[in-house]
């Protein structure tokens, strides 16, 4: 095995070659998170016959230039792909690989670069599709905590400090409550000019739309507990290349390194081995056409084909309290606390289902439809579904937030989509449905003044009413026990 470093179009790049004589197919990873962190991965690709190319994106770590997230990746990626194909150790075949931001680099190379620079296959794990997709929910509500953490760690700097937000919150626990949110860089004590620009992006869906015109195979990998899970599935569904594969497990953003509470031994896959096997088949044209894949059924220790979804089933709910409540941004319902206050005026509408008479497999999107009233012209409605198993502690299952603009005091009928579940719920489980005006700090607080939550400098409480008889919780339930599948067979067929 041979490893060396060079500059490709001025960008710091590590190359790891197999021991055998070339030429070889190549993988390319372009990352803002330090190419040195990928050395073990690069050696793994090289041991299996691939030349591994890992590059710091422009302005990060050893690569010169200015760091502008999402701005230069098509141009720089295309130049790197052309350079790889000109090397004597390259056989011309190229697989673009990446996770999170690096998945964006791989996808924009496949979808936006000129034909001569496009890869022959793409592996995109937990893809951060673009600034709008990372900053906002599909409804437009701002994802505050994850973006503040990312920008504090990586924004407008050459290196990274992964614990920057954690240290800032330790020094000032109320850091994210200070107004306006646009002033966060000053409270962090450093310049972050791209922070304000982040919130100007609202053009979600560009890469998903481009995916319909893709011309190469895709392997999309995600986790049910990852906040980009919906984007991962949307990308897979839209992909127009010769084949598309989806692997979705009960994991967080770090995949198998971050298993969810519903993950079991069957969900501990060797992703590196699976990536290599898929890449070989993709480059040799051995993959069957069409969309296939596997999704892990949490709480059950098995895998199902990716296309399986349950039948919509209404879950009966009973009001506990809070058909009228106050959504006060000064005392918001918190995303990091599943405790429901039992004293004082209600801050949410709380409903529960009867205990499940038998195990229930829920696979697909969860939603709640309701009629409700807000006494201010701009209101967020957060719906959180929590499992209360007969033994164990409360566990968040799904969350959705929408922003509504109606005349103050006018009742509206609307649906909140809570995302996807792939979960077996045991018999005796109660489901708790909370309907609130905030889900903070995961999401920015709506100030209820009509102002932009990022620039608002004052907060108002909002009176709310929910018609409990209108609340319709819909669960995608499988009608019978599913037949399990082998995830490797689904990915590699």
């Amino acid at each position: 095995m041979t490893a060396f470093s060079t500059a490709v179009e001025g960008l710091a790049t590590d190359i790891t070659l197999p021991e055998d004589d070339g030429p070889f197919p190549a993988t390319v990873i372009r990352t803002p998170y330090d190419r040195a962190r990928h050395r073990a991965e690069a050696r793994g690709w090289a041991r299996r016959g691939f030349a591994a190319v890992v590059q710091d994106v422009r302005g990060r770590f050893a690569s010169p230039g200015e760091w502008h997230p999402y701005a230069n990746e098509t141009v720089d990626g295309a130049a790197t792909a052309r350079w790889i194909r000109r090397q004597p150790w390259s056989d011309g075949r190229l697989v673009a690989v990446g996770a999170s931001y690096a998945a964006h680099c791989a996808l924009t190379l496949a979808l936006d670069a000129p034909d001569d620079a496009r890869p022959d296959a793409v592996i995109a794990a937990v893809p951060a599709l673009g600034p709008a997709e990372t900053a906002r929910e599909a409804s437009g509500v701002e994802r505050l905590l994850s973006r503040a953490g990312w920008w504090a760690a990586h924004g407008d700097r050459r290196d990274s400090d992964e614990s920057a937000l954690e240290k800032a919150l330790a020094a000032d626990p109320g850091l994210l409550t200070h107004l306006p949110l646009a002033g966060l860089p000053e409270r962090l004590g450093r310049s972050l000019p791209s922070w304000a620009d982040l919130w100007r992006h609202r053009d979600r869906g560009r890469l998903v739309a481009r995916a319909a015109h893709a011309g190469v195979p895709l392997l999309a990998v995600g986790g049910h507990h990852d906040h980009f899970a919906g984007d991962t599935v949307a990308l897979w569904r839209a992909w127009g290349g010769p084949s598309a594969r989806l692997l979705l497990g009960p994991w967080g953003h770090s995949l198998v390194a971050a298993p969810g509470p519903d993950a079991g031994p069957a969900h501990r896959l060797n992703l590196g081995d699976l990536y290599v096997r898929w890449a070989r088949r993709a480059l040799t044209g051995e993959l069957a056409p069409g969309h296939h894949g596997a999704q892990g059924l949490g709480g059950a220790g098995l895998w199902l084909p990716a296309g399986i979804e349950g039948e919509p089933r209404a879950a009966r709910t009973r009001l506990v309290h809070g058909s009228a409540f106050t959504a006060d941004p000064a005392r918001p319902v918190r995303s990091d606390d599943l405790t429901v206050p039992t004293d004082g005026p209600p801050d949410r509408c709380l409903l529960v289902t009867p205990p499940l008479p038998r195990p229930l497999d829920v696979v697909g999107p969860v939603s709640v439809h309701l009629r409700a009233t807000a006494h201010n012209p701009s209101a967020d409605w957060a719906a959180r579904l929590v499992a209360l198993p007969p033994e164990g502690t409360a566990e968040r299952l799904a969350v959705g937030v929408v922003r509504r603009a109606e005349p103050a005091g006018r009742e509206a009928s609307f649906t909140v989509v809570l995302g996807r579940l792939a979960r077996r719920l045991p018999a005796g489980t109660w489901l708790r449905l909370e309907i609130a005006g905030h889900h903070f700090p995961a999401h920015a607080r709506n100030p209820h003044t009509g102002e932009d939550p990022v620039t608002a400098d004052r907060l108002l409480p909002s009176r709310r009413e929910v018609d409990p008889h209108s609340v319709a919780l819909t669960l995608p339930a499988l009608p019978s026990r599913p037949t399990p599948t082998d995830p490797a067979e689904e990915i590699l067929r």
Side-chain angles (χ1 to χ4, degrees):
M1 190 180 302
T2 302
F4 60 96
S5 298
T6 188
V8 177
E9 301 295 323
L11 303 180
T13 307
D14 289 344
I15 295 96
T16 306
L17 301 180
E19 292 181 354
D20 300 334
D21 295 333
F24 315 102
T27 60
V28 58
I29 301 171
R30 304 191 60 258
T31 177
Y33 304 126
D34 187 3
R35 72 193 195 284
R37 296 171 63 175
H38 292 273
R39 284 172 181 161
E41 182 180 357
R43 289 194 296 269
W45 281 105
R47 281 196 299 270
R48 293 163 174 83
F50 287 80
V53 179
V54 187
Q55 183 179 82
D56 290 330
V57 301
R58 187 187 305 188
R60 291 285 286 169
F61 290 88
S63 285
E66 293 188 3
W67 165 228
H68 298 295
Y70 300 97
N72 300 305
E73 309 312 349
T74 301
V75 171
D76 290 347
T80 301
R82 292 187 181 106
W83 179 88
I84 292 170
R85 286 184 167 130
R86 292 196 302 266
Q87 303 313 300
W89 42 260
S90 168
D91 69 6
R93 296 178 296 168
L94 180 63
V95 182
V97 182
S100 196
Y101 187 96
H104 170 84
C105 296
L107 288 166
T108 195
L109 181 62
L111 299 174
D112 293 335
D115 289 346
D116 68 319
R118 293 186 180 183
D120 300 285
V122 180
I123 299 173
V126 289
L129 295 181
E133 286 87 352
T134 60
R136 298 179 185 274
E137 301 290 351
S139 62
V141 176
E142 300 83 1
R143 289 172 171 156
L144 175 60
L145 183 62
S146 66
R147 291 305 87 197
W150 195 90
W151 248 256
H154 312 293
D156 299 289
R157 58 188 298 161
R158 179 165 296 281
D159 60 356
S160 292
D161 181 357
E162 301 284 354
S163 62
L165 185 63
E166 180 183 351
K167 290 185 290 189
L169 286 170
D172 178 8
L175 178 75
L176 298 178
T177 67
H178 296 300
L179 299 179
L181 289 176
L184 179 66
E186 290 77 10
R187 295 189 290 278
L188 288 172
R190 68 182 185 86
S191 177
L192 269 174
S194 65
W195 173 252
D197 183 61
L198 167 68
W199 305 108
R200 300 188 183 103
H201 292 278
R202 296 180 179 271
D203 54 337
R204 288 180 59 94
R206 191 191 69 81
L207 278 182
V208 170
R210 294 278 293 146
H213 308 288
V216 301
L218 168 74
L219 173 57
V221 184
H224 294 303
H225 304 292
D226 173 40
H227 42 276
F228 300 150
D231 291 335
T232 305
V233 175
L235 178 75
W236 169 71
R237 291 191 187 281
W239 197 261
S243 67
R245 299 292 182 267
L246 175 68
L247 183 66
L248 200 64
W251 312 313
H253 193 65
S254 297
L255 299 175
V256 293
D262 54 331
H267 303 127
R268 297 171 188 158
L269 302 184
N270 184 335
L271 292 183
D273 180 68
L274 196 55
Y275 289 179
V276 171
R277 294 167 66 191
W278 178 88
R280 286 187 182 132
R281 292 180 66 83
L283 293 180
T284 55
E286 296 179 66
L287 295 172
H291 292 66
H292 303 289
Q295 54 186 329
L297 186 64
L302 55 86
W303 292 85
L304 309 177
I308 286 182
E309 288 195 354
E311 299 173 357
R313 177 185 299 180
R316 182 163 53 90
T317 60
R318 172 179 60 85
L319 176 69
V320 176
H321 69 77
S323 61
F325 66 94
T326 298
D328 187 349
R331 291 178 290 276
V333 171
R334 293 191 62 91
S335 57
D336 52 5
D337 187 358
L338 295 182
T339 303
V340 177
T342 57
D343 57 353
D347 62 354
R348 72 198 82 183
C349 178
L350 184 65
L351 306 103
V352 296
T353 68
L356 295 174
R358 61 187 63 86
L360 183 68
D361 291 332
V362 182
V363 182
V366 179
S367 66
V368 58
H369 186 80
L370 67 154
R371 291 196 306 271
T373 305
H375 291 268
N376 56 285
S378 175
D380 288 359
W381 294 91
R384 179 165 67 186
L385 188 64
V386 176
L388 305 171
E391 297 179 0
T393 58
E395 181 188 338
R396 186 184 72 179
L397 292 179
V399 173
V401 189
V402 300
R403 181 162 294 160
R404 304 285 301 179
E406 270 100 21
R410 177 182 293 179
E411 185 180 66
S413 178
F414 55 92
T415 298
V416 183
V417 177
L418 281 69
R420 295 180 57 83
L421 279 180
R423 182 69 176 269
R424 175 168 292 168
L425 302 173
T429 298
W430 298 68
L431 297 179
R432 186 175 79 201
L433 178 63
E434 303 169 42
I435 300 170
H438 300 97
H439 186 246
F440 173 84
H443 298 90
R445 296 169 294 171
N446 190 319
H448 302 142
T449 62
E451 298 173 273
D452 185 329
V454 176
T455 57
D457 57 7
R458 64 191 181 100
L459 305 171
L460 294 176
S462 170
R463 286 190 296 122
R464 307 288 180 94
E465 288 99 31
V466 174
D467 177 359
H469 301 293
S470 73
V471 176
L473 173 64
T474 301
L475 302 175
L478 296 181
S480 59
R481 283 297 177 98
T483 301
T485 190
D486 183 326
E489 289 182 2
E490 293 291 337
I491 298 304
L492 301 175
R493 68 173 172 139

